[in-house]
Amino acid sequence: MCILHVHDSFCQIFLLHSNRKYDREALLQLYNALNGTEYEDASQLQIVTIESAVYVMMKNDLAYLLAGTLSMYEHQSTWNPNMPVRFLLYLAQEYQTVIEQAEESLYGTKQIVLPTPQCVVFYNGTKDMLDEQVLRLSDAFQNKRSRADVELTVRMYNINYGHSSALLEKCRVLGEYAEFVSVAREHVSERKNTETALLDAVNYCIENGILKDFLRKNRAEVLGMLLEEFDVEKYERSLKKEGREEGIREGIEQGIEQGIRCMVEALQEAGQTREYAVSKVVEKYALSEAEAVRSVDRYWR
Protein backbone atom coordinates (compact mmCIF):
# COMPACT_ATOMS: atom_id res chain seq x y z
CA MET A 1 0.00 0.00 0.00
CA CYS A 2 1.30 3.47 -0.84
CA ILE A 3 2.12 5.85 1.96
CA LEU A 4 0.20 9.09 2.20
CA HIS A 5 2.11 12.06 3.58
CA VAL A 6 -0.40 14.35 5.26
CA HIS A 7 1.98 16.32 7.47
CA ASP A 8 0.54 19.77 6.74
CA SER A 9 -3.11 18.74 6.63
CA PHE A 10 -2.80 17.37 10.18
CA CYS A 11 -2.03 20.85 11.49
CA GLN A 12 -4.54 22.45 9.14
CA ILE A 13 -7.48 20.63 10.73
CA PHE A 14 -6.86 22.67 13.88
CA LEU A 15 -6.97 25.95 11.93
CA LEU A 16 -9.92 28.23 11.28
CA HIS A 17 -9.39 28.78 7.57
CA SER A 18 -11.04 32.19 7.41
CA ASN A 19 -8.45 34.00 9.55
CA ARG A 20 -5.68 31.39 9.91
CA LYS A 21 -6.20 31.23 13.67
CA TYR A 22 -6.17 27.97 15.54
CA ASP A 23 -9.43 26.30 16.48
CA ARG A 24 -8.95 26.40 20.24
CA GLU A 25 -12.03 24.27 20.88
CA ALA A 26 -10.52 21.42 18.83
CA LEU A 27 -7.16 21.81 20.57
CA LEU A 28 -8.86 21.80 23.97
CA GLN A 29 -10.64 18.59 23.02
CA LEU A 30 -7.31 17.04 22.04
CA TYR A 31 -5.66 18.19 25.29
CA ASN A 32 -8.47 16.71 27.38
CA ALA A 33 -8.31 13.45 25.44
CA LEU A 34 -4.56 13.10 26.02
CA ASN A 35 -4.61 14.09 29.70
CA GLY A 36 -7.93 12.80 30.98
CA THR A 37 -8.99 16.32 31.95
CA GLU A 38 -12.24 18.22 31.46
CA TYR A 39 -11.20 21.81 30.81
CA GLU A 40 -13.96 23.85 29.18
CA ASP A 41 -12.60 27.38 28.68
CA ALA A 42 -10.72 27.31 25.36
CA SER A 43 -9.92 31.02 25.64
CA GLN A 44 -7.26 30.12 28.23
CA LEU A 45 -5.30 28.26 25.58
CA GLN A 46 -2.29 30.22 24.26
CA ILE A 47 -0.62 29.22 20.97
CA VAL A 48 3.21 29.28 21.13
CA THR A 49 4.16 27.28 18.03
CA ILE A 50 7.65 28.10 16.77
CA GLU A 51 7.07 29.69 13.38
CA SER A 52 9.67 32.42 13.08
CA ALA A 53 11.94 32.23 10.04
CA VAL A 54 14.87 32.66 12.42
CA TYR A 55 14.15 29.21 13.83
CA VAL A 56 13.13 27.54 10.59
CA MET A 57 15.41 24.58 11.29
CA MET A 58 13.68 24.02 14.63
CA LYS A 59 10.08 24.64 13.58
CA ASN A 60 7.66 22.39 15.42
CA ASP A 61 4.18 21.39 14.26
CA LEU A 62 2.09 22.70 17.12
CA ALA A 63 2.65 24.06 20.63
CA TYR A 64 0.39 25.74 23.14
CA LEU A 65 0.13 26.66 26.81
CA LEU A 66 -2.75 25.63 29.04
CA ALA A 67 -3.03 25.25 32.81
CA GLY A 68 0.72 25.58 33.34
CA THR A 69 1.45 22.90 30.74
CA LEU A 70 3.40 23.39 27.52
CA SER A 71 2.01 20.90 24.99
CA MET A 72 4.24 20.29 21.99
CA TYR A 73 2.91 18.08 19.20
CA GLU A 74 4.63 16.64 16.15
CA HIS A 75 3.09 14.60 13.35
CA GLN A 76 5.21 11.95 11.63
CA SER A 77 4.37 9.69 8.71
CA THR A 78 7.77 7.95 8.97
CA TRP A 79 9.44 6.35 12.00
CA ASN A 80 11.97 8.74 13.52
CA PRO A 81 13.92 7.69 16.64
CA ASN A 82 15.40 11.20 16.96
CA MET A 83 12.18 12.87 18.12
CA PRO A 84 13.41 13.28 21.75
CA VAL A 85 16.42 15.25 20.48
CA ARG A 86 14.20 17.42 18.30
CA PHE A 87 11.82 18.08 21.17
CA LEU A 88 14.79 19.03 23.36
CA LEU A 89 15.69 21.75 20.84
CA TYR A 90 12.07 22.91 20.63
CA LEU A 91 11.77 23.01 24.40
CA ALA A 92 14.95 25.04 24.78
CA GLN A 93 13.61 27.65 22.38
CA GLU A 94 10.20 27.73 24.06
CA TYR A 95 11.82 28.16 27.47
CA GLN A 96 14.04 30.92 26.14
CA THR A 97 10.90 32.83 25.18
CA VAL A 98 9.39 32.26 28.63
CA ILE A 99 12.57 33.48 30.32
CA GLU A 100 12.75 36.58 28.13
CA GLN A 101 9.18 37.45 29.13
CA ALA A 102 9.77 36.84 32.83
CA GLU A 103 10.25 39.82 35.11
CA GLU A 104 12.92 38.02 37.09
CA SER A 105 16.49 37.52 35.93
CA LEU A 106 17.71 34.05 35.01
CA TYR A 107 20.78 34.82 37.15
CA GLY A 108 18.80 36.10 40.13
CA THR A 109 17.92 34.36 43.37
CA LYS A 110 14.23 33.89 42.61
CA GLN A 111 13.07 30.71 40.89
CA ILE A 112 11.66 31.34 37.41
CA VAL A 113 8.50 29.30 36.94
CA LEU A 114 8.46 27.19 33.76
CA PRO A 115 5.48 25.42 32.19
CA THR A 116 5.54 21.64 32.47
CA PRO A 117 6.40 20.18 29.05
CA GLN A 118 4.46 17.42 27.32
CA CYS A 119 6.02 16.03 24.14
CA VAL A 120 3.72 14.05 21.88
CA VAL A 121 4.17 12.48 18.44
CA PHE A 122 1.20 11.43 16.34
CA TYR A 123 2.34 8.69 13.95
CA ASN A 124 0.34 7.59 10.91
CA GLY A 125 2.90 5.92 8.67
CA THR A 126 2.49 2.45 7.20
CA LYS A 127 5.16 0.74 9.31
CA ASP A 128 3.56 -1.41 12.01
CA MET A 129 3.74 0.36 15.38
CA LEU A 130 2.29 -0.11 18.84
CA ASP A 131 -0.71 2.03 19.74
CA GLU A 132 1.43 3.87 22.26
CA GLN A 133 5.10 3.86 23.11
CA VAL A 134 7.63 6.06 24.87
CA LEU A 135 10.80 7.36 23.23
CA ARG A 136 13.62 8.53 25.50
CA LEU A 137 16.47 10.95 24.94
CA SER A 138 18.76 8.57 26.81
CA ASP A 139 18.30 5.99 24.04
CA ALA A 140 20.68 8.14 22.00
CA PHE A 141 23.37 8.49 24.68
CA GLN A 142 26.68 6.92 23.70
CA ASN A 143 27.95 5.82 27.12
CA LYS A 144 25.23 3.65 28.61
CA ARG A 145 27.28 2.93 31.73
CA SER A 146 27.44 6.53 32.93
CA ARG A 147 24.51 7.98 34.82
CA ALA A 148 22.75 10.55 32.66
CA ASP A 149 21.67 13.77 34.37
CA VAL A 150 19.29 14.74 31.58
CA GLU A 151 16.24 12.88 30.29
CA LEU A 152 13.34 13.75 28.02
CA THR A 153 10.50 11.41 27.14
CA VAL A 154 8.16 11.55 24.16
CA ARG A 155 4.79 9.81 23.97
CA MET A 156 4.16 8.45 20.49
CA TYR A 157 0.62 7.49 19.51
CA ASN A 158 -0.26 5.44 16.46
CA ILE A 159 -3.24 7.33 15.03
CA ASN A 160 -3.81 5.09 12.05
CA TYR A 161 -7.46 4.10 11.75
CA GLY A 162 -8.08 1.09 13.99
CA HIS A 163 -5.36 2.01 16.49
CA SER A 164 -5.41 4.04 19.71
CA SER A 165 -9.19 3.70 19.73
CA ALA A 166 -9.68 5.23 23.19
CA LEU A 167 -7.80 8.40 22.20
CA LEU A 168 -9.50 8.72 18.81
CA GLU A 169 -12.93 8.27 20.37
CA LYS A 170 -12.29 11.02 22.93
CA CYS A 171 -11.01 13.46 20.31
CA ARG A 172 -13.53 13.55 17.46
CA VAL A 173 -11.34 15.65 15.15
CA LEU A 174 -8.37 13.31 15.54
CA GLY A 175 -10.59 10.28 14.96
CA GLU A 176 -12.03 11.73 11.77
CA TYR A 177 -8.56 12.67 10.58
CA ALA A 178 -7.42 9.06 11.00
CA GLU A 179 -10.44 7.88 9.06
CA PHE A 180 -9.78 10.44 6.31
CA VAL A 181 -6.20 9.22 5.87
CA SER A 182 -7.42 5.62 5.73
CA VAL A 183 -9.98 6.44 3.05
CA ALA A 184 -7.44 8.39 1.00
CA ARG A 185 -4.91 5.55 1.13
CA GLU A 186 -7.53 3.03 0.10
CA HIS A 187 -8.61 5.11 -2.90
CA VAL A 188 -5.03 5.72 -4.04
CA SER A 189 -4.09 2.04 -3.74
CA GLU A 190 -7.02 1.06 -6.00
CA ARG A 191 -6.40 3.54 -8.84
CA LYS A 192 -3.63 4.61 -11.15
CA ASN A 193 -4.64 8.27 -11.31
CA THR A 194 -3.65 9.78 -7.98
CA GLU A 195 -5.45 13.09 -8.49
CA THR A 196 -8.77 11.42 -9.29
CA ALA A 197 -8.35 8.99 -6.39
CA LEU A 198 -7.72 11.79 -3.87
CA LEU A 199 -10.60 13.88 -5.21
CA ASP A 200 -12.95 10.92 -4.86
CA ALA A 201 -11.62 10.27 -1.35
CA VAL A 202 -12.31 13.86 -0.31
CA ASN A 203 -15.82 13.72 -1.80
CA TYR A 204 -16.49 10.41 -0.06
CA CYS A 205 -15.46 11.85 3.30
CA ILE A 206 -17.63 14.95 2.85
CA GLU A 207 -20.64 12.81 1.93
CA ASN A 208 -20.08 10.56 4.96
CA GLY A 209 -19.43 13.27 7.53
CA ILE A 210 -15.69 12.71 7.88
CA LEU A 211 -14.03 16.10 8.48
CA LYS A 212 -17.01 17.39 6.53
CA ASP A 213 -16.83 21.11 7.36
CA PHE A 214 -13.05 21.28 7.12
CA LEU A 215 -12.90 19.53 3.73
CA ARG A 216 -15.74 21.63 2.31
CA LYS A 217 -13.96 24.87 3.22
CA ASN A 218 -10.48 23.72 2.25
CA ARG A 219 -11.07 21.19 -0.54
CA ALA A 220 -8.71 22.80 -3.07
CA GLU A 221 -6.00 23.47 -0.51
CA VAL A 222 -6.12 19.94 0.88
CA LEU A 223 -5.98 18.39 -2.57
CA GLY A 224 -3.05 20.63 -3.49
CA MET A 225 -1.10 19.61 -0.41
CA LEU A 226 -1.83 15.93 -0.86
CA LEU A 227 -0.87 15.93 -4.53
CA GLU A 228 2.33 17.81 -3.76
CA GLU A 229 3.30 15.50 -0.93
CA PHE A 230 2.06 12.25 -2.43
CA ASP A 231 4.90 11.42 -4.79
CA VAL A 232 4.87 7.72 -5.68
CA GLU A 233 8.40 7.73 -7.09
CA LYS A 234 9.70 9.53 -4.01
CA TYR A 235 7.93 7.00 -1.81
CA GLU A 236 9.41 4.07 -3.72
CA ARG A 237 12.90 5.56 -3.41
CA SER A 238 12.31 6.12 0.31
CA LEU A 239 11.07 2.55 0.73
CA LYS A 240 14.18 1.13 -0.97
CA LYS A 241 16.43 3.34 1.15
CA GLU A 242 14.65 2.30 4.34
CA GLY A 243 15.00 -1.33 3.29
CA ARG A 244 18.74 -0.96 2.78
CA GLU A 245 19.19 0.84 6.07
CA GLU A 246 17.11 -1.75 7.88
CA GLY A 247 19.24 -4.51 6.35
CA ILE A 248 22.44 -2.78 7.45
CA ARG A 249 21.12 -2.35 10.99
CA GLU A 250 20.05 -5.99 11.15
CA GLY A 251 23.46 -7.07 9.89
CA ILE A 252 25.24 -5.01 12.53
CA GLU A 253 22.99 -6.34 15.26
CA GLN A 254 23.53 -9.91 14.12
CA GLY A 255 27.29 -9.33 14.03
CA ILE A 256 27.29 -7.96 17.58
CA GLU A 257 25.17 -10.86 18.81
CA GLN A 258 27.48 -13.37 17.15
CA GLY A 259 30.49 -11.65 18.71
CA ILE A 260 28.96 -11.83 22.18
CA ARG A 261 28.15 -15.50 21.71
CA CYS A 262 31.71 -16.35 20.66
CA MET A 263 33.15 -14.35 23.56
CA VAL A 264 30.90 -15.99 26.15
CA GLU A 265 31.57 -19.51 24.86
CA ALA A 266 35.34 -18.88 24.72
CA LEU A 267 35.47 -17.46 28.25
CA GLN A 268 33.45 -20.36 29.61
CA GLU A 269 35.73 -22.90 27.91
CA ALA A 270 38.72 -21.04 29.39
CA GLY A 271 37.29 -21.57 32.88
CA GLN A 272 36.31 -17.95 33.55
CA THR A 273 33.35 -17.13 35.78
CA ARG A 274 29.98 -15.91 34.58
CA GLU A 275 30.59 -12.59 36.40
CA TYR A 276 33.85 -12.12 34.52
CA ALA A 277 32.08 -12.80 31.21
CA VAL A 278 29.45 -10.17 32.04
CA SER A 279 32.16 -7.59 32.81
CA LYS A 280 33.94 -8.29 29.50
CA VAL A 281 30.70 -7.99 27.50
CA VAL A 282 29.98 -4.65 29.21
CA GLU A 283 33.50 -3.45 28.44
CA LYS A 284 33.65 -4.53 24.80
CA TYR A 285 30.08 -3.81 23.65
CA ALA A 286 29.19 -0.83 25.88
CA LEU A 287 26.05 -2.52 27.21
CA SER A 288 24.47 -1.88 30.57
CA GLU A 289 25.12 -4.55 33.18
CA ALA A 290 21.52 -5.76 32.96
CA GLU A 291 21.78 -6.11 29.16
CA ALA A 292 25.10 -7.90 29.47
CA VAL A 293 23.68 -10.34 32.03
CA ARG A 294 20.82 -11.21 29.66
CA SER A 295 23.26 -11.71 26.77
CA VAL A 296 25.58 -13.93 28.80
CA ASP A 297 22.67 -15.98 30.12
CA ARG A 298 21.60 -16.74 26.55
CA TYR A 299 24.88 -18.47 25.73
CA TRP A 300 26.26 -19.69 29.06
CA ARG A 301 26.01 -23.48 29.23
Side-chain angles (χ1 to χ4, degrees):
M1 179 182 292
C2 293
I3 190 170
L4 183 62
H5 297 281
V6 282
H7 177 85
D8 289 335
S9 57
F10 173 79
C11 295
Q12 291 292 324
I13 65 174
F14 293 104
L15 283 172
L16 295 172
H17 185 67
S18 58
N19 55 10
R20 309 301 293 174
K21 292 183 179 179
Y22 282 96
D23 183 348
R24 283 173 168 74
E25 292 293 341
L27 289 175
L28 184 62
Q29 185 183 95
L30 179 58
Y31 181 91
N32 284 334
L34 287 169
N35 294 282
T37 53
E38 297 181 358
Y39 290 108
E40 297 179 354
D41 188 359
S43 66
Q44 298 299 311
L45 194 147
Q46 178 187 354
I47 306 298
V48 292
T49 304
I50 299 174
E51 294 181 335
S52 171
V54 176
Y55 304 107
V56 67
M57 294 304 293
M58 293 194 300
K59 182 180 182 300
N60 63 316
D61 282 355
L62 181 61
Y64 59 87
L65 291 166
L66 178 67
T69 300
L70 171 61
S71 298
M72 297 185 294
Y73 300 156
E74 275 279 325
H75 168 235
Q76 293 289 308
S77 56
T78 55
W79 160 246
N80 188 335
N82 299 309
M83 293 310 301
V85 182
R86 289 171 54 174
F87 272 110
L88 180 66
L89 298 177
Y90 302 154
L91 181 61
Q93 180 52 43
E94 295 286 4
Y95 276 172
Q96 181 177 334
T97 301
V98 171
I99 292 169
E100 289 173 352
Q101 295 174 348
E103 296 181 0
E104 301 295 330
S105 170
L106 181 62
Y107 303 99
T109 58
K110 186 175 180 180
Q111 179 80 63
I112 294 179
V113 178
L114 299 173
T116 303
Q118 289 190 342
C119 307
V120 178
V121 169
F122 298 105
Y123 170 82
N124 76 329
T126 57
K127 186 174 181 179
D128 188 32
M129 290 288 177
L130 297 174
D131 283 8
E132 180 181 352
Q133 58 184 296
V134 176
L135 310 180
R136 293 180 171 81
L137 181 66
S138 58
D139 293 337
F141 293 164
Q142 184 174 10
N143 190 339
K144 304 294 185 182
R145 290 174 291 174
S146 296
R147 188 194 72 179
D149 292 329
V150 175
E151 182 64 286
L152 184 146
T153 59
V154 176
R155 284 180 288 162
M156 189 174 82
Y157 293 94
N158 183 348
I159 60 167
N160 280 299
Y161 190 63
H163 292 269
S164 303
S165 56
L167 174 62
L168 299 186
E169 287 174 4
K170 290 179 181 178
C171 183
R172 177 184 54 80
V173 174
L174 195 60
E176 291 185 15
Y177 173 76
E179 194 169 358
F180 163 65
V181 172
S182 177
V183 170
R185 282 178 173 156
E186 183 178 353
H187 277 70
V188 169
S189 68
E190 294 175 349
R191 304 188 183 185
K192 293 183 178 180
N193 189 303
T194 303
E195 183 174 359
T196 301
L198 291 175
L199 178 59
D200 289 347
V202 169
N203 290 335
Y204 173 89
C205 288
I206 291 175
E207 293 169 2
N208 289 273
I210 303 169
L211 292 180
K212 181 177 179 179
D213 293 337
F214 168 76
L215 292 176
R216 272 182 172 173
K217 294 177 181 177
N218 307 285
R219 184 197 305 258
E221 187 176 359
V222 170
L223 283 172
M225 285 190 299
L226 295 181
L227 286 170
E228 181 180 347
E229 295 183 10
F230 188 83
D231 182 334
V232 176
E233 292 183 359
K234 180 172 67 177
Y235 165 67
E236 290 176 347
R237 290 194 300 271
S238 174
L239 190 62
K240 290 178 181 178
K241 180 180 178 182
E242 287 181 7
R244 288 195 299 270
E245 291 176 348
E246 187 71 24
I248 292 172
R249 283 195 295 272
E250 289 179 359
I252 292 174
E253 291 171 359
Q254 291 174 3
I256 291 175
E257 193 65 23
Q258 182 65 24
I260 292 174
R261 179 176 181 174
C262 291
M263 173 183 284
V264 170
E265 292 176 348
L267 290 173
Q268 187 173 16
E269 289 177 2
Q272 297 292 344
T273 64
R274 185 192 299 259
E275 290 72 22
Y276 180 78
V278 169
S279 68
K280 297 304 291 183
V281 170
V282 168
E283 178 184 334
K284 182 173 178 59
Y285 294 100
L287 299 179
S288 68
E289 185 171 351
E291 292 171 329
V293 168
R294 288 194 294 270
S295 295
V296 170
D297 286 346
R298 277 198 295 271
Y299 304 117
W300 193 270
R301 299 291 180 263

